[in-house]
Amino acid sequence: MAWSGNKEDGEGKSRRGYHHGNLREALIAAALDLIGAKGPAGFTFAEAARSAGVSAAAPYRHFRDRDELLADVARQGFERFEQFLSNVWNEGRPDARTAVNHLGKAYLAFARTEPAYYSAMFEANLSLDDHPELRKAGDRAFDIVRKAAEELSATLPSRPPSLMLALHIWSFSHGIASLFARGDSGRRNLPMSPEDLLEAAMLVYLEGLGGPKT
Amino acid sequence: MAWSGNKEDGEGKSRRGYHHGNLREALIAAALDLIGAKGPAGFTFAEAARSAGVSAAAPYRHFRDRDELLADVARQGFERFEQFLSNVWNEGRPDARTAVNHLGKAYLAFARTEPAYYSAMFEANLSLDDHPELRKAGDRAFDIVRKAAEELSATLPSRPPSLMLALHIWSFSHGIASLFARGDSGRRNLPMSPEDLLEAAMLVYLEGLGGPKT
DNA sequence: ATGCCATGTGAAGGGCCTTTACATCATAGC
DNA sequence: GCTATGATGTAAAGGCCCTTCACATGGCAT
C-alpha cells in the first residue's frame, strides 16, 4: 500500500493501478501539449507515454504507431476547426459576404489560438492516403467553406462557380495563415496584421467578382 | 592497394583516400536527394553521410548539426527560387500584368519541379531566427515579387500599395502551392489545375483593383 | 469463482544525433 | 625537400527514440 490510488496531481497523469483507464485520450492530450511546445517534429511517442505515466510500449495498444497518434490529433483538430468555422459562418448571418469574411478571419484565429492543432493538421506532412479518416475530417471542414461559397455566389451578379470561390477563399486564408499567422518562427515584419491583409484581399477579390456596389 | 583511387561510380560518392575533397557539397546533394525521396522529416544526417561515403561524424566538420544542413539546402533553394522568379519576371515583359501572372505560375512550377527544395524551404519548420542567412535568402526572393508589384501598381489607376500587392500575390501563390501543387499526399481532387485556379484568382483580384478593362 | 482478453510492462534490437579522442593528410614556411 | 600544423575524417560511446515480443495484470462476462 505504498501508493494510494486515484490522485489528480496537476495534469492528468496519475490514477493508476496498472491499467490507466483513459490512456488513449491522455495520450492525445499529451501529444497536443508537446506539439504546442516543440512543434510536430519535436513531439515523441515516448515522451507522450511518460506524460501519461505509462511505459513506452503502452501507446501501441491504442495507436499503430507514432504517426497514427499524430493523425488522430490532426483529425480532432479538423473536427474542432469544422465546428469553429460552422459557428462563425452562423448560417450566413448577417449576410453571406460578411459571414464569409468572418470565415477567413476564423482561419487565422484558429492558426493563432490553436497552434498545436494547426501544426498537426497542416505541418505534420501526414499522408492522407495512410489516414483516410484524416482526409474525411479535412473534407468536412472544407465543406463549410464550400457551402458558404455557394450562398455567397448566389448573392453575386456574376454567379461565380462556388467551388472555385471556396478554393480561392481557402487557399488565400491558408497562405496568409501559414506565412504570417504562425509562431515567431515564420514571422516577417508586416506593415499590417494578417487579419487586415486578408480583409483587404477579400475586399479586392469580391470587388473583382462584381460584388454589390458597397 | 586494394582500392584504386578516383572513380566515379554513378553518383558522386567515390574519389577517396581519407579526405573526401568535396564533402560539403556532396552532403547537400545527398540531402536534396533524400528529402525528395522521403520528405524533410525522413531525411537523416547519418544517411546523407552514408550516401557521401563518409562516417556519421564527418558531416559535423561542415555543419553544426542536422538542421544547419537542412537550412543550407533551404537557403540554396531560395537562391534558385529567386533566380527562377527573376528570369520569369523578365523585367516586366511583355507587360507588368502578364509578367506577374508568370510569377504566380512560376511559384507553382517550382513547387512541382523542385519538391525537395520546396520542402526544405517551406515544410521543414526551420527557425528563421536560428538561421539568419535563410531569412535573408527568403527575403531576397520575396523582393523579386515586391519589385514586380511596384511596377504592376504603377500601371493601375488605383495605385494600390505595392507591398500589399506583393503580399497578396505571394500568399495566394503559396496557399495554392501548399495545398494543391505538392506531392500526392496533399492532393485533393480539383476540378481544375492549380495553375488555372491561380490564374482565375489573379484575374478576379486584378479586376477588383480596377485593372485596365481587358 | 473463473477464465478470457484488453491493457500495460520490461527488455531488446536497431537507428539516429552528437561529442570526444584519435588518425590522416594537404600544405605553408622554413 | 622536410616538417609542423590545422583541416578533415574515423571509431566509439552515451543518450534518446521507435517498435516488437513475451509476459504480467486485472476488469468483466459467464
Side-chain angles (χ1 to χ4, degrees):
Chain A
M1 274 105 199
W3 53 274
S4 54
N6 296 5
K7 300 178 186 174
E8 275 195 22
D9 56 45
E11 297 304 312
K13 61 163 59 179
S14 43
R15 112 231 34 172
R16 296 288 311 292
Y18 193 98
H19 288 104
H20 181 287
N22 201 22
L23 185 53
R24 188 182 173 91
E25 289 188 18
L27 287 172
I28 293 178
L32 204 50
D33 279 357
L34 294 172
I35 294 168
K38 306 187 298 183
F43 145 77
T44 78
F45 221 27
E47 196 168 353
R50 274 197 300 277
S51 287
V54 297
S55 75
Y60 289 85
R61 297 298 177 189
H62 300 274
F63 301 94
R64 189 164 14 87
D65 56 23
R66 178 184 177 283
D67 267 13
E68 201 183 273
L69 171 50
L70 215 49
D72 221 66
V73 170
R75 183 190 49 70
Q76 202 173 88
F78 274 117
E79 286 168 1
R80 283 181 176 240
F81 193 41
E82 178 194 355
Q83 188 153 353
F84 183 44
L85 292 180
S86 181
N87 287 341
V88 163
W89 165 243
N90 192 25
E91 313 286 339
R93 282 183 289 255
D95 61 89
R97 183 178 172 137
T98 304
V100 163
N101 263 307
H102 290 340
L103 229 42
K105 297 261 181 73
Y107 207 113
L108 301 185
F110 190 86
R112 213 196 308 291
T113 66
E114 300 285 3
Y117 276 127
Y118 190 89
S119 288
M121 290 155 64
F122 296 114
E123 299 171 350
N125 283 111
L126 293 165
S127 156
L128 295 182
D129 294 325
D130 293 354
H131 307 281
E133 292 305 319
L134 178 56
R135 158 170 269 138
K136 284 186 205 156
D139 286 349
R140 279 193 294 269
F142 177 70
D143 283 344
I144 303 294
V145 178
R146 204 165 174 353
K147 186 180 163 203
E150 279 170 18
E151 297 199 20
L152 177 59
S153 174
T155 73
L156 296 170
S158 55
R159 293 297 159 86
S162 65
L163 177 54
M164 185 196 79
L165 198 50
L167 290 169
H168 282 165
I169 293 166
W170 185 280
S171 297
F172 216 147
S173 304
H174 182 76
I176 291 179
S178 295
L179 292 172
F180 307 114
R182 299 306 329 291
D184 314 26
S185 49
R187 177 155 301 165
R188 265 144 170 110
N189 289 8
L190 283 188
M192 58 210 318
S193 71
E195 279 75 9
D196 288 347
L197 186 65
L198 178 60
E199 181 159 353
M202 294 277 257
L203 197 68
V204 173
Y205 178 83
L206 292 178
E207 178 68 25
L209 281 179
K213 39 267 152 202
T214 320
Chain B
M1 277 113 202
W3 51 274
S4 51
N6 295 6
K7 302 178 185 173
E8 276 194 22
D9 55 44
E11 298 303 312
K13 62 164 57 179
S14 42
R15 108 228 37 172
R16 293 289 309 294
Y18 191 99
H19 288 104
H20 182 286
N22 201 23
L23 185 52
R24 186 182 174 92
E25 289 188 20
L27 287 172
I28 293 178
L32 204 52
D33 279 357
L34 294 173
I35 294 168
K38 307 186 297 183
F43 145 78
T44 79
F45 221 27
E47 195 167 356
R50 274 197 299 276
S51 286
V54 297
S55 76
Y60 290 85
R61 297 296 178 192
H62 300 274
F63 301 94
R64 188 163 16 87
D65 57 23
R66 177 185 177 282
D67 267 13
E68 201 182 273
L69 171 50
L70 215 48
D72 221 67
V73 171
R75 183 190 51 69
Q76 200 173 92
F78 274 116
E79 285 168 2
R80 284 182 174 238
F81 193 40
E82 178 194 355
Q83 186 153 354
F84 184 45
L85 291 181
S86 181
N87 287 342
V88 162
W89 165 244
N90 192 25
E91 313 285 338
R93 282 183 290 255
D95 60 89
R97 182 180 173 134
T98 303
V100 163
N101 263 307
H102 290 339
L103 229 43
K105 296 263 181 72
Y107 207 113
L108 301 184
F110 190 86
R112 213 195 310 287
T113 65
E114 300 285 4
Y117 277 126
Y118 190 89
S119 289
M121 291 156 62
F122 295 113
E123 299 170 352
N125 284 111
L126 293 166
S127 156
L128 295 183
D129 294 326
D130 293 354
H131 306 281
E133 291 306 318
L134 178 55
R135 159 170 269 138
K136 285 185 204 158
D139 287 349
R140 279 193 292 271
F142 177 70
D143 283 344
I144 302 295
V145 178
R146 203 164 173 356
K147 186 181 163 200
E150 279 169 19
E151 296 200 21
L152 177 59
S153 174
T155 73
L156 296 170
S158 56
R159 294 295 161 87
S162 64
L163 177 54
M164 184 195 80
L165 198 50
L167 289 169
H168 283 164
I169 292 166
W170 184 282
S171 297
F172 215 146
S173 303
H174 182 75
I176 291 178
S178 295
L179 291 172
F180 307 115
R182 301 303 331 292
D184 315 27
S185 50
R187 177 159 300 165
R188 265 144 171 111
N189 289 8
L190 284 188
M192 58 211 317
S193 71
E195 279 76 9
D196 287 347
L197 186 65
L198 178 59
E199 180 159 353
M202 295 276 258
L203 197 69
V204 172
Y205 178 83
L206 292 179
E207 178 68 25
L209 281 179
K213 40 266 152 206
T214 323

